[in-house]
Amino acid sequence: MSPIDYRQLYIGGHWRDAATSATIDVQSPSTEDIIGSVPRGSEADIDAAVAAARAAFDDPDGWSTWHPKLRAEVLEKFAAELEARGPETAARVSMQNGMPIWLAQQFEAGFPPLLLRYYSEVMNGAPIEEERAGMLGGTALVSRQPIGVVGAIVPWNVPQGISFLKIAPALAAGCTVVLKPAEETVLDAFLMAEAAAAAGLPPGVLNVVPGGRDVGAYLVAHPGVDKVSFTGSTVAGRAIAETCGRLLRPVTLELGGKSAAIVLDDADIAGSIESFFGATLLNNGQICWLNTRVLAPRNRYADIVDTITALASELTIGDPLDPATKIGPLVSRRQRERVEGYIAKGKQEARLTTGGARPAGMSRGWFVEPTVFADVDNNAVIAREEIFGPVLSVIPYSDEAEAISIANDSVYGLGGSVWSSDSARAANVARKVRSGTVGVNHYVNEPVAPFGGVKDSGMGRELGPEGLAAFQVYKTIYLPPAQ
Ligand code: NAD
C-alpha cells in the first residue's frame, strides 16, 4: 500500500503550509513500516490556528452567534461527510494504533457522527435564554453562552471517538476548536479535516495542528484559548491543570484508570464472556476505563481464574485489519517495553496463569500475549499502576464489603463493573464503588449519560447534557422592575 502523505495543515478553513518543514512519520504497529506522514505542527502553527479560531469565535455574525438550528444543519453535513469516510477512518486508525478493525468501525467511524447529531439535538432541546421572575422586583434573563475558543488535546488510543467527545459538544454549543491529535494517530485527524472542509464548516471553526507534548503545552497556555479539554495520562493532566490553575482557565481532564470488575458469587462470567472481554481487554488493553483488576470471591476463586485464563488464552492475536482479530499489536515499541516491564514485575509479585510473552511466530509488530495474573495483592505494583496493555490482575476477596473496599483502594476512579445474576444486587454494590462510571454485567460509554473520573482519573464530565455544559458559561442580564 502506498503511504498516505499530507503536505499541509488545515487551519482557518484552508490547507496551508506549516511553519517548518518538519514531519511526523507514522509507523505501523503491525508491520513496523512507515505508512504515512503529515507536517509537524509548531508553536507558529498553533498561533495561526488559535488566531483563526479566535476570529471565527469573535465574529459578530459568526458561528458563535448563529441559532443552534443553523449550526445543527452544518453539523449534520459534517456527520454525513464523516460517514462517507467511515470505512477509511476505521482502517486508518487500525493501521496506526493496532485497534481491531471491527472495534474501529464502532468507536472511530460510528461514534463521531452519532455524537454530532446527539449534541445538535441536546443544544436545540433546551431554550438558550430563560426568563426568571426575580425576588427583588426585576427579571433575570439567564442564558448559556458558548465558552469560547477550545484547545482540545487527545491521545492515540481512541483518537476519533475521543476527539468527538470534545468537538461535537463544543461546536454544537457555538465554540470554535483547535485540535491537537497525538503524534501516533494523525492520519485519521487529517481525514476528519477533509470531512470538515467538505461539509462547509466556516473558516476557523475547527483547526487541526498535530504535534508532541511541547506543542500541546503551548496550546494549553495560549492567551487566545478560553477552555482546555484534555484526555490522556494523569501525569500530563496534572501539568495541564497546573497551567490552567495559574491562568484561571477552565479545564476538563479525562485521565488514567485502574478500574475493578467485581465478580459476585452468583455471577455467570462464562455465560457473558463477550461482555466480560469488552469490559476488560478491549482495544488490546489500551482504554482508560478498562477493568484491569478482577475481584473474585474466594468460594469460586479457582473457577473464575480458570474462566478468565481460558478467555485470554483463546483470543485471536493478529493483523488488526483482519476482522477475526481480537487482539492487535500495542501502539508502539515504547508502549510494548512499558507493558513488558509490568509483566516482568507481575511475575515476581503474583502467579502467571496465561500469556506473559510475545506471541510465537510473530517477528514484526509490537504484539504481546493477553496476560492474566492470579493471587494478586491489591498493593502489588501491577494492581496499583495503569499498565495500558492486555494484562489482568485477579484479586481474591472474602465478602462484598471487602470487594468494595478493594475496588475503592486505588488512586483512580474512572470505570468499574459488577457481575451477578441479580442486577439489583449488582446495582447496590455499584452504588458503593467510588468511581465516575460503573457497569452492571457489561460496560459501555452510553452517550446520554456523563462519563468521567474522580480522584486521579480527572475532573469534569464528557457525554450527556453535562458534556455540553462543559463548553458553556452562564450569563445573567438583570432587567429592571416594570415601570
Ligand atoms: P499522554 O498524556 O502522554 O498524551 C496524550 C496527549 O497529550 C497527546 O496528544 C500528547 O501529545 C499530549 N500531551 C502530553 N503531555 C502534554 C502536556 N504536558 N501538555 C499538553 N499536552 C500534552 O498520554 P498517552 O500515553 O498518549 O495516552 C494514554 C493515557 O491516556 C493513559 O494514561 C490513559 O488512561 C489515558 N486516557 C484517558 C482517557 C479518559 O477518557 N479518561 C481516554 C483515553 C486515554
Side-chain angles (χ1 to χ4, degrees):
M1 224 180 78
S2 52
I4 304 165
D5 294 317
Y6 285 89
R7 310 249 176 260
Q8 292 185 304
L9 298 177
Y10 182 68
I11 293 176
H14 306 286
W15 292 95
R16 43 177 282 173
D17 290 343
T20 77
S21 58
T23 60
I24 296 174
D25 299 323
V26 183
Q27 189 177 23
S28 157
S30 315
T31 64
E32 303 177 30
D33 294 333
I34 298 297
I35 54 172
S37 68
V38 302
R40 177 178 287 281
S42 64
E43 294 184 359
D45 298 309
I46 292 284
D47 287 340
V50 173
R54 187 82 260 159
F57 186 80
D58 293 340
D59 178 349
D61 302 314
W63 182 255
S64 61
T65 68
W66 291 12
H67 191 282
K69 287 203 165 67
L70 275 182
R71 288 200 295 267
E73 283 172 22
V74 177
L75 296 182
E76 175 51 42
K77 286 188 192 142
F78 191 14
E81 294 292 344
L82 287 171
E83 273 171 346
R85 292 164 180 78
E88 176 67 12
T89 299
R92 285 193 188 183
V93 171
S94 264
M95 287 189 298
Q96 293 174 107
N97 73 0
M99 179 185 289
I101 188 71
W102 51 269
L103 185 62
Q105 280 153 1
Q106 296 169 35
F107 279 15
E108 302 292 278
F111 215 43
L114 179 148
L115 289 176
L116 284 171
R117 293 185 177 120
Y118 170 68
Y119 276 109
S120 289
E121 245 179 71
V122 176
M123 187 64 207
N124 280 296
I128 306 167
E129 196 169 77
E130 181 198 333
E131 205 175 289
R132 295 187 195 167
M135 299 173 74
L136 306 175
T139 302
L141 285 183
V142 179
S143 63
R144 296 175 295 144
Q145 308 277 318
I147 200 163
V149 172
V150 174
I153 299 175
V154 295
W156 45 261
N157 62 333
V158 188
Q160 286 299 296
I162 291 174
S163 292
F164 278 87
L165 292 178
K166 306 175 189 319
I167 293 171
L171 297 191
C175 295
T176 59
V177 175
V178 176
L179 175 74
K180 193 208 77 66
E183 288 174 273
E184 294 83 352
T185 44
V186 286
L187 304 176
D188 54 297
F190 278 61
L191 191 60
M192 183 252 277
E194 286 177 12
L201 243 70
V205 166
L206 178 60
N207 310 272
V208 180
V209 182
R213 59 189 53 190
D214 294 355
V215 169
Y218 186 74
L219 175 61
V220 168
H222 201 289
V225 168
D226 299 304
K227 155 97 194 187
V228 173
S229 183
F230 173 77
T231 298
S233 61
T234 296
V235 171
R238 232 181 262 289
I240 289 170
E242 280 179 19
T243 303
C244 290
R246 182 165 44 78
L247 297 172
L248 296 180
R249 184 163 293 172
V251 60
T252 298
L253 300 166
E254 299 288 1
L255 310 176
K258 192 76 196 180
S259 304
I262 302 179
V263 180
L264 297 182
D265 52 12
D266 62 350
D268 176 17
I269 294 297
S272 34
I273 206 73
E274 272 296 318
S275 301
F276 196 78
F277 165 74
T280 55
L281 287 165
L282 206 62
N283 201 26
N284 321 328
Q286 299 175 132
I287 306 184
C288 49
W289 49 252
L290 283 174
N291 300 186
T292 50
R293 290 183 296 152
V294 179
L295 314 192
R298 287 188 193 279
N299 59 359
R300 288 194 48 208
Y301 188 69
D303 148 41
I304 289 164
V305 169
D306 286 352
T307 305
I308 295 168
T309 301
L311 163 70
S313 62
E314 284 162 16
L315 294 169
T316 308
I317 307 172
D319 177 358
L321 291 170
D322 180 342
T325 292
K326 282 291 179 82
I327 297 283
L330 298 180
V331 70
S332 62
R333 182 193 294 273
R334 189 183 64 127
Q335 185 69 11
R336 181 165 71 173
E337 277 168 9
R338 200 181 117 91
V339 170
E340 286 180 335
Y342 279 112
I343 290 175
K345 185 81 192 154
K347 286 175 180 169
Q348 296 162 6
E349 290 183 323
R351 174 167 63 92
L352 179 75
T353 68
T354 186
R358 298 178 184 181
M362 297 176 85
S363 56
R364 289 175 82 78
W366 322 125
F367 292 92
V368 171
E369 288 175 338
T371 298
V372 177
F373 287 105
D375 309 346
V376 180
D377 186 299
N378 196 48
N379 289 316
V381 171
I382 56 166
R384 301 210 78 79
E385 297 185 11
E386 184 178 53
I387 298 175
F388 230 55
V391 182
L392 300 182
S393 295
V394 190
I395 303 171
Y397 73 84
S398 299
D399 56 26
E400 254 178 50
E402 194 193 4
I404 294 161
S405 139
I406 294 172
N408 291 343
D409 180 11
S410 169
V411 296
Y412 295 112
L414 185 58
S417 57
V418 186
W419 303 78
S420 166
S421 47
D422 177 348
S423 300
R425 179 184 173 206
N428 270 335
V429 173
R431 287 187 179 94
K432 294 176 189 150
V433 176
R434 216 177 145 226
S435 176
T437 56
V438 186
V440 169
N441 292 334
H442 79 320
Y443 185 95
V444 289
N445 288 141
E446 171 51 58
V448 306
F451 165 76
V454 297
K455 301 190 270 182
D456 286 4
S457 292
M459 55 194 195
R461 291 293 178 267
E462 296 186 314
L463 290 175
E466 295 79 4
L468 180 70
F471 295 101
Q472 294 177 317
V473 61
Y474 284 109
K475 175 172 178 178
T476 301
I477 297 176
Y478 304 116
L479 295 178
Q483 294 297 321

